[in-house]
Amino acid sequence: MSDQEKDQEREAILKNEQEQDVNENSVNESDTSDLKKSPQDTPDSEKESIKETEQKKQETSVDESDQNENKPGDTTSEKVENQIEASESDEDEEDEITSSDDEETEDDSEQDKGTTDYHSMSQKELVGSLKDLLKTGKIQEIKKEVDEIRHEFNSQFDDEINEKKEEFIAQGGNIIDFHYSSPLKNEFNSLYFEYREKRNNYFKNLKKDLQANLQKRLELIEELKGLIDVEENINTTYKHFKDIQERWREAGPIPRDGYNTVWNNYHHHVENFYDFLHLNREFRDLDFKHNLEQKLKIINRAEELANEENVNKAFRELQLLHKMWKEDTGPVAKEYRDDVWDRFSAATKVIHDKRAEYQKEIEKDFEKNLELKNEITSRIEELTENTKNSHQAWQQGIKALEKLREEFFNAGKVPAKNNDESWNNFKEAVRNFNRKKNQFYKNQKKEQYTNLSKKQELIKIAEENKDSDDFEVVTPLMKKIQNEWKQIGHVPRKDSDKIWKQFKAACNHYFDRFHASRNKASEDEVKNLEAKNTLLEELKAFDLSGEPKSDLKFIKEKISTWKDIGRVPFAKKNIESKFNKTIDALFKKLDVSKKEIELIKYDNKLNNITSQDDERKIQNERFFITKKIDEVKQEINQLENNLGFFQYVDDSNPMVKEVHKNIQRHKDELELWKEKLKKLKEVM
């Protein structure tokens, strides 16, 4: 092999090390074949053109966003949105500003970086994630995650806007007057604008620094070129040369697109200087000897890396060795040049071959993981397609989706070339499931607003007739609208209590007047009142014996006696309240289960209701208990769903314990309400 061919081979591998894609999948068989090429010296015409090119770049405006200043009169929200859109115009330019030092390859463990399941987060959680990224992440490394958070937040916010718009129109609003924002949206816009500002400033400063470093290096090349023509003592010239070399090493990174040209230009003039230095062999041989020692150290380390078990670690260090070979060492004597380069090339090829083999092996496992993840995505799509439109079916579907999501994240890594596609397909499948689920519940809400309108009409009828004295006509009407109320169905939760209290108040007002007009005190009712007063005083004077069973038996007997006494005058019906308070006070002193006490008290309450022979009160009581049962069931379902978020948390966790405790408490409460409903049905 001729000297010229050897030189060409050296140049090619150095150039290849600089230009190769540092992503792990860019290392393949071509890495080793490229070792058989070599450096060419840069022509003088090319060197002279470097300055002109860089000057043109410096004249180009870096920040185009200045042309998008906000107009007077913009709202704060609009200003933020405008500034965000304007700042995004710099995106392409930022991606091109890359330091020549950004050469290190990421480890295989970074393959799945950026696949956090932001889609499962709420808007509040997304804001928190963005805030954490801005605090802990490097501004130049978080773009992918920030973009995904922003996409997910805007998607959820758009759904929220559509929902609010539907509510606004359902309540009779004009679409022209609709406007909606939220504190979370404002906070997110503020954080995202902060991110864009920091990112823009980072790349502006980076470009400024890279251009300054480039200018330093160009000036050093010019200074190096002048050493050959200067008339001074050779010792002085050599010291000047070594000073230029030191300043070159400390000059810092430059833009990637100009790196090879600048380095080749510098290398060319270093070689020229060594040719000039040939007149003084003592200096040249001394430098050649030092360079040889340095290169042998690099070679020895490269050969040691061939035995490194961690292939990726060896590969990353090899890249640093090539950079040291290129940046930190100069030429060696011609008689050693081919030998040292051949040894270094051979060590490099061994490591490249091992890494290529390693990549082939792990790709086999990655392919299996890809098949599994694709299967999970298909199962999610089937789940979306087959879930029926019912509350129970969608709740079961949500639980099934959570299990599939967990399987997906536990499946392992996939080939890098398929990583984005696999992840995007999974996200889209989950998103489609949630869209269909949300659409079902949106339709449910529409139905609830229709029910709300119907119940408001019944409230209007009740309030218009609550003061009527035509009891024969109005009483059937009031009973009729009470039955219609029960048949209508659910309304939005935020309106439920309000309209029920309004309707109940109107109905109670009417029926209180109706019963007051009909109920006059009779002799029997007066006697009953006296008997109940006597029994009440007896209970107030009663002291517990200390035997719970005996005391409980006594109290039950008194309650039974009270039931048998009968009605009292309508104007004196508050005696029932006094009796209940006295019984409650005695129960508190007894060592009896809460459930048993509640049922005994409820028996007494039922007696009061049935003794009045008031069908309305009985129906109201049934409606009240049924409503309570539904509410407790909903609370249990909600708490059980919440447990899904703690599936990776140990059961001994205080928060998980508290959720289990609340579920049990609600289940006990549910059983009590069911027992009360059973007793109510027995007397109806």
PDB file of all heavy atoms in Angstrom, residues 434-455:
ATOM      1  N   ASN A 434     -61.019   5.884  24.944  1.00  0.00           N
ATOM      2  CA  ASN A 434     -61.484   6.976  25.808  1.00  0.00           C
ATOM      3  C   ASN A 434     -62.456   7.904  25.078  1.00  0.00           C
ATOM      4  O   ASN A 434     -63.383   8.438  25.689  1.00  0.00           O
ATOM      5  CB  ASN A 434     -60.290   7.761  26.339  1.00  0.00           C
ATOM      6  CG  ASN A 434     -59.548   6.999  27.418  1.00  0.00           C
ATOM      7  OD1 ASN A 434     -60.143   6.211  28.146  1.00  0.00           O
ATOM      8  ND2 ASN A 434     -58.250   7.200  27.525  1.00  0.00           N
ATOM      9  N   ARG A 435     -62.227   8.097  23.775  1.00  0.00           N
ATOM     10  CA  ARG A 435     -63.163   8.932  23.012  1.00  0.00           C
ATOM     11  C   ARG A 435     -64.557   8.315  23.012  1.00  0.00           C
ATOM     12  O   ARG A 435     -65.559   8.997  23.226  1.00  0.00           O
ATOM     13  CB  ARG A 435     -62.666   9.077  21.564  1.00  0.00           C
ATOM     14  CG  ARG A 435     -61.500  10.041  21.381  1.00  0.00           C
ATOM     15  CD  ARG A 435     -61.337  10.398  19.918  1.00  0.00           C
ATOM     16  NE  ARG A 435     -60.096  11.134  19.691  1.00  0.00           N
ATOM     17  CZ  ARG A 435     -59.044  10.641  19.052  1.00  0.00           C
ATOM     18  NH1 ARG A 435     -59.071   9.404  18.595  1.00  0.00           N
ATOM     19  NH2 ARG A 435     -57.947  11.366  18.880  1.00  0.00           N
ATOM     20  N   LYS A 436     -64.603   7.003  22.746  1.00  0.00           N
ATOM     21  CA  LYS A 436     -65.899   6.327  22.702  1.00  0.00           C
ATOM     22  C   LYS A 436     -66.559   6.311  24.083  1.00  0.00           C
ATOM     23  O   LYS A 436     -67.764   6.532  24.218  1.00  0.00           O
ATOM     24  CB  LYS A 436     -65.706   4.891  22.195  1.00  0.00           C
ATOM     25  CG  LYS A 436     -67.012   4.183  21.904  1.00  0.00           C
ATOM     26  CD  LYS A 436     -66.777   2.826  21.276  1.00  0.00           C
ATOM     27  CE  LYS A 436     -68.114   2.108  21.018  1.00  0.00           C
ATOM     28  NZ  LYS A 436     -67.899   0.757  20.444  1.00  0.00           N
ATOM     29  N   LYS A 437     -65.735   6.072  25.128  1.00  0.00           N
ATOM     30  CA  LYS A 437     -66.259   6.091  26.503  1.00  0.00           C
ATOM     31  C   LYS A 437     -66.803   7.475  26.847  1.00  0.00           C
ATOM     32  O   LYS A 437     -67.903   7.613  27.391  1.00  0.00           O
ATOM     33  CB  LYS A 437     -65.151   5.706  27.477  1.00  0.00           C
ATOM     34  CG  LYS A 437     -65.540   5.782  28.947  1.00  0.00           C
ATOM     35  CD  LYS A 437     -64.329   5.878  29.840  1.00  0.00           C
ATOM     36  CE  LYS A 437     -63.627   7.193  29.649  1.00  0.00           C
ATOM     37  NZ  LYS A 437     -62.464   7.370  30.549  1.00  0.00           N
ATOM     38  N   ASN A 438     -66.014   8.509  26.524  1.00  0.00           N
ATOM     39  CA  ASN A 438     -66.430   9.882  26.839  1.00  0.00           C
ATOM     40  C   ASN A 438     -67.708  10.264  26.081  1.00  0.00           C
ATOM     41  O   ASN A 438     -68.556  10.997  26.609  1.00  0.00           O
ATOM     42  CB  ASN A 438     -65.312  10.867  26.514  1.00  0.00           C
ATOM     43  CG  ASN A 438     -64.117  10.688  27.433  1.00  0.00           C
ATOM     44  OD1 ASN A 438     -64.241  10.116  28.509  1.00  0.00           O
ATOM     45  ND2 ASN A 438     -62.957  11.161  27.017  1.00  0.00           N
ATOM     46  N   GLN A 439     -67.817   9.770  24.844  1.00  0.00           N
ATOM     47  CA  GLN A 439     -69.015  10.077  24.059  1.00  0.00           C
ATOM     48  C   GLN A 439     -70.248   9.466  24.705  1.00  0.00           C
ATOM     49  O   GLN A 439     -71.326  10.090  24.747  1.00  0.00           O
ATOM     50  CB  GLN A 439     -68.856   9.530  22.628  1.00  0.00           C
ATOM     51  CG  GLN A 439     -69.966   9.953  21.691  1.00  0.00           C
ATOM     52  CD  GLN A 439     -70.057  11.472  21.567  1.00  0.00           C
ATOM     53  OE1 GLN A 439     -69.061  12.160  21.389  1.00  0.00           O
ATOM     54  NE2 GLN A 439     -71.271  12.002  21.676  1.00  0.00           N
ATOM     55  N   PHE A 440     -70.092   8.244  25.247  1.00  0.00           N
ATOM     56  CA  PHE A 440     -71.213   7.600  25.946  1.00  0.00           C
ATOM     57  C   PHE A 440     -71.661   8.445  27.127  1.00  0.00           C
ATOM     58  O   PHE A 440     -72.855   8.714  27.310  1.00  0.00           O
ATOM     59  CB  PHE A 440     -70.794   6.206  26.422  1.00  0.00           C
ATOM     60  CG  PHE A 440     -71.746   5.599  27.408  1.00  0.00           C
ATOM     61  CD1 PHE A 440     -72.960   5.066  26.988  1.00  0.00           C
ATOM     62  CD2 PHE A 440     -71.450   5.581  28.771  1.00  0.00           C
ATOM     63  CE1 PHE A 440     -73.852   4.515  27.911  1.00  0.00           C
ATOM     64  CE2 PHE A 440     -72.330   5.038  29.692  1.00  0.00           C
ATOM     65  CZ  PHE A 440     -73.535   4.495  29.262  1.00  0.00           C
ATOM     66  N   TYR A 441     -70.690   8.905  27.942  1.00  0.00           N
ATOM     67  CA  TYR A 441     -71.058   9.672  29.128  1.00  0.00           C
ATOM     68  C   TYR A 441     -71.528  11.084  28.775  1.00  0.00           C
ATOM     69  O   TYR A 441     -72.314  11.685  29.521  1.00  0.00           O
ATOM     70  CB  TYR A 441     -69.892   9.698  30.117  1.00  0.00           C
ATOM     71  CG  TYR A 441     -69.760   8.384  30.865  1.00  0.00           C
ATOM     72  CD1 TYR A 441     -68.729   7.499  30.579  1.00  0.00           C
ATOM     73  CD2 TYR A 441     -70.691   8.021  31.828  1.00  0.00           C
ATOM     74  CE1 TYR A 441     -68.624   6.282  31.238  1.00  0.00           C
ATOM     75  CE2 TYR A 441     -70.591   6.811  32.494  1.00  0.00           C
ATOM     76  CZ  TYR A 441     -69.563   5.944  32.199  1.00  0.00           C
ATOM     77  OH  TYR A 441     -69.477   4.749  32.847  1.00  0.00           O
ATOM     78  N   LYS A 442     -71.072  11.595  27.631  1.00  0.00           N
ATOM     79  CA  LYS A 442     -71.608  12.886  27.171  1.00  0.00           C
ATOM     80  C   LYS A 442     -73.093  12.745  26.814  1.00  0.00           C
ATOM     81  O   LYS A 442     -73.905  13.619  27.127  1.00  0.00           O
ATOM     82  CB  LYS A 442     -70.825  13.376  25.951  1.00  0.00           C
ATOM     83  CG  LYS A 442     -69.484  13.991  26.285  1.00  0.00           C
ATOM     84  CD  LYS A 442     -68.791  14.462  25.025  1.00  0.00           C
ATOM     85  CE  LYS A 442     -67.409  15.020  25.347  1.00  0.00           C
ATOM     86  NZ  LYS A 442     -66.675  15.435  24.130  1.00  0.00           N
ATOM     87  N   ASN A 443     -73.429  11.632  26.151  1.00  0.00           N
ATOM     88  CA  ASN A 443     -74.841  11.391  25.811  1.00  0.00           C
ATOM     89  C   ASN A 443     -75.673  11.221  27.080  1.00  0.00           C
ATOM     90  O   ASN A 443     -76.826  11.657  27.130  1.00  0.00           O
ATOM     91  CB  ASN A 443     -74.954  10.144  24.940  1.00  0.00           C
ATOM     92  CG  ASN A 443     -74.338  10.355  23.561  1.00  0.00           C
ATOM     93  OD1 ASN A 443     -74.219  11.491  23.097  1.00  0.00           O
ATOM     94  ND2 ASN A 443     -73.936   9.279  22.908  1.00  0.00           N
ATOM     95  N   GLN A 444     -75.061  10.580  28.090  1.00  0.00           N
ATOM     96  CA  GLN A 444     -75.746  10.439  29.367  1.00  0.00           C
ATOM     97  C   GLN A 444     -76.026  11.814  29.982  1.00  0.00           C
ATOM     98  O   GLN A 444     -77.097  12.062  30.538  1.00  0.00           O
ATOM     99  CB  GLN A 444     -74.887   9.619  30.344  1.00  0.00           C
ATOM    100  CG  GLN A 444     -74.753   8.157  29.983  1.00  0.00           C
ATOM    101  CD  GLN A 444     -76.024   7.383  30.268  1.00  0.00           C
ATOM    102  OE1 GLN A 444     -76.868   7.231  29.397  1.00  0.00           O
ATOM    103  NE2 GLN A 444     -76.167   6.895  31.477  1.00  0.00           N
ATOM    104  N   LYS A 445     -75.063  12.706  29.849  1.00  0.00           N
ATOM    105  CA  LYS A 445     -75.246  14.056  30.400  1.00  0.00           C
ATOM    106  C   LYS A 445     -76.353  14.803  29.660  1.00  0.00           C
ATOM    107  O   LYS A 445     -77.131  15.557  30.266  1.00  0.00           O
ATOM    108  CB  LYS A 445     -73.933  14.838  30.309  1.00  0.00           C
ATOM    109  CG  LYS A 445     -72.946  14.475  31.391  1.00  0.00           C
ATOM    110  CD  LYS A 445     -71.849  15.518  31.497  1.00  0.00           C
ATOM    111  CE  LYS A 445     -70.964  15.236  32.714  1.00  0.00           C
ATOM    112  NZ  LYS A 445     -69.942  16.266  32.906  1.00  0.00           N
ATOM    113  N   LYS A 446     -76.420  14.614  28.336  1.00  0.00           N
ATOM    114  CA  LYS A 446     -77.495  15.261  27.573  1.00  0.00           C
ATOM    115  C   LYS A 446     -78.848  14.801  28.091  1.00  0.00           C
ATOM    116  O   LYS A 446     -79.783  15.602  28.256  1.00  0.00           O
ATOM    117  CB  LYS A 446     -77.350  14.920  26.086  1.00  0.00           C
ATOM    118  CG  LYS A 446     -76.170  15.578  25.405  1.00  0.00           C
ATOM    119  CD  LYS A 446     -76.109  15.167  23.944  1.00  0.00           C
ATOM    120  CE  LYS A 446     -74.888  15.778  23.257  1.00  0.00           C
ATOM    121  NZ  LYS A 446     -74.777  15.333  21.841  1.00  0.00           N
ATOM    122  N   GLU A 447     -78.958  13.501  28.341  1.00  0.00           N
ATOM    123  CA  GLU A 447     -80.207  12.958  28.870  1.00  0.00           C
ATOM    124  C   GLU A 447     -80.512  13.533  30.250  1.00  0.00           C
ATOM    125  O   GLU A 447     -81.677  13.836  30.569  1.00  0.00           O
ATOM    126  CB  GLU A 447     -80.100  11.435  28.949  1.00  0.00           C
ATOM    127  CG  GLU A 447     -81.385  10.748  29.395  1.00  0.00           C
ATOM    128  CD  GLU A 447     -81.244   9.236  29.412  1.00  0.00           C
ATOM    129  OE1 GLU A 447     -80.389   8.714  28.664  1.00  0.00           O
ATOM    130  OE2 GLU A 447     -81.973   8.596  30.184  1.00  0.00           O
ATOM    131  N   GLN A 448     -79.465  13.726  31.065  1.00  0.00           N
ATOM    132  CA  GLN A 448     -79.665  14.299  32.392  1.00  0.00           C
ATOM    133  C   GLN A 448     -80.163  15.740  32.306  1.00  0.00           C
ATOM    134  O   GLN A 448     -80.990  16.162  33.121  1.00  0.00           O
ATOM    135  CB  GLN A 448     -78.366  14.228  33.188  1.00  0.00           C
ATOM    136  CG  GLN A 448     -77.983  12.820  33.622  1.00  0.00           C
ATOM    137  CD  GLN A 448     -76.683  12.780  34.384  1.00  0.00           C
ATOM    138  OE1 GLN A 448     -76.015  13.798  34.560  1.00  0.00           O
ATOM    139  NE2 GLN A 448     -76.305  11.589  34.842  1.00  0.00           N
ATOM    140  N   TYR A 449     -79.670  16.497  31.323  1.00  0.00           N
ATOM    141  CA  TYR A 449     -80.151  17.877  31.168  1.00  0.00           C
ATOM    142  C   TYR A 449     -81.606  17.904  30.699  1.00  0.00           C
ATOM    143  O   TYR A 449     -82.382  18.800  31.069  1.00  0.00           O
ATOM    144  CB  TYR A 449     -79.259  18.651  30.193  1.00  0.00           C
ATOM    145  CG  TYR A 449     -78.009  19.179  30.851  1.00  0.00           C
ATOM    146  CD1 TYR A 449     -76.761  18.625  30.573  1.00  0.00           C
ATOM    147  CD2 TYR A 449     -78.068  20.226  31.768  1.00  0.00           C
ATOM    148  CE1 TYR A 449     -75.614  19.092  31.192  1.00  0.00           C
ATOM    149  CE2 TYR A 449     -76.931  20.707  32.394  1.00  0.00           C
ATOM    150  CZ  TYR A 449     -75.708  20.139  32.099  1.00  0.00           C
ATOM    151  OH  TYR A 449     -74.576  20.607  32.725  1.00  0.00           O
ATOM    152  N   THR A 450     -81.998  16.915  29.879  1.00  0.00           N
ATOM    153  CA  THR A 450     -83.405  16.798  29.489  1.00  0.00           C
ATOM    154  C   THR A 450     -84.270  16.510  30.718  1.00  0.00           C
ATOM    155  O   THR A 450     -85.354  17.089  30.903  1.00  0.00           O
ATOM    156  CB  THR A 450     -83.575  15.678  28.453  1.00  0.00           C
ATOM    157  OG1 THR A 450     -82.755  15.954  27.312  1.00  0.00           O
ATOM    158  CG2 THR A 450     -85.028  15.569  28.009  1.00  0.00           C
ATOM    159  N   ASN A 451     -83.790  15.587  31.576  1.00  0.00           N
ATOM    160  CA  ASN A 451     -84.503  15.271  32.821  1.00  0.00           C
ATOM    161  C   ASN A 451     -84.609  16.496  33.727  1.00  0.00           C
ATOM    162  O   ASN A 451     -85.630  16.720  34.389  1.00  0.00           O
ATOM    163  CB  ASN A 451     -83.790  14.148  33.569  1.00  0.00           C
ATOM    164  CG  ASN A 451     -83.842  12.829  32.815  1.00  0.00           C
ATOM    165  OD1 ASN A 451     -84.693  12.643  31.949  1.00  0.00           O
ATOM    166  ND2 ASN A 451     -82.944  11.928  33.130  1.00  0.00           N
ATOM    167  N   LEU A 452     -83.522  17.282  33.762  1.00  0.00           N
ATOM    168  CA  LEU A 452     -83.531  18.496  34.580  1.00  0.00           C
ATOM    169  C   LEU A 452     -84.639  19.444  34.133  1.00  0.00           C
ATOM    170  O   LEU A 452     -85.365  20.010  34.955  1.00  0.00           O
ATOM    171  CB  LEU A 452     -82.169  19.179  34.491  1.00  0.00           C
ATOM    172  CG  LEU A 452     -82.036  20.531  35.203  1.00  0.00           C
ATOM    173  CD1 LEU A 452     -82.258  20.363  36.706  1.00  0.00           C
ATOM    174  CD2 LEU A 452     -80.671  21.158  34.920  1.00  0.00           C
ATOM    175  N   SER A 453     -84.777  19.596  32.815  1.00  0.00           N
ATOM    176  CA  SER A 453     -85.806  20.483  32.283  1.00  0.00           C
ATOM    177  C   SER A 453     -87.205  19.992  32.661  1.00  0.00           C
ATOM    178  O   SER A 453     -88.089  20.792  33.044  1.00  0.00           O
ATOM    179  CB  SER A 453     -85.665  20.552  30.756  1.00  0.00           C
ATOM    180  OG  SER A 453     -86.662  21.366  30.203  1.00  0.00           O
ATOM    181  N   LYS A 454     -87.420  18.667  32.600  1.00  0.00           N
ATOM    182  CA  LYS A 454     -88.729  18.101  32.963  1.00  0.00           C
ATOM    183  C   LYS A 454     -89.033  18.330  34.440  1.00  0.00           C
ATOM    184  O   LYS A 454     -90.161  18.689  34.813  1.00  0.00           O
ATOM    185  CB  LYS A 454     -88.743  16.603  32.659  1.00  0.00           C
ATOM    186  CG  LYS A 454     -88.710  16.266  31.167  1.00  0.00           C
ATOM    187  CD  LYS A 454     -88.679  14.752  30.965  1.00  0.00           C
ATOM    188  CE  LYS A 454     -88.636  14.396  29.483  1.00  0.00           C
ATOM    189  NZ  LYS A 454     -88.576  12.918  29.284  1.00  0.00           N
ATOM    190  N   LYS A 455     -88.054  18.137  35.304  1.00  0.00           N
ATOM    191  CA  LYS A 455     -88.278  18.310  36.742  1.00  0.00           C
ATOM    192  C   LYS A 455     -88.497  19.772  37.100  1.00  0.00           C
ATOM    193  O   LYS A 455     -89.260  20.095  38.032  1.00  0.00           O
ATOM    194  CB  LYS A 455     -87.100  17.725  37.525  1.00  0.00           C
ATOM    195  CG  LYS A 455     -87.074  16.201  37.502  1.00  0.00           C
ATOM    196  CD  LYS A 455     -86.098  15.609  38.496  1.00  0.00           C
ATOM    197  CE  LYS A 455     -86.233  14.087  38.559  1.00  0.00           C
ATOM    198  NZ  LYS A 455     -85.391  13.462  39.569  1.00  0.00           N
TER     199      LYS A 455
END
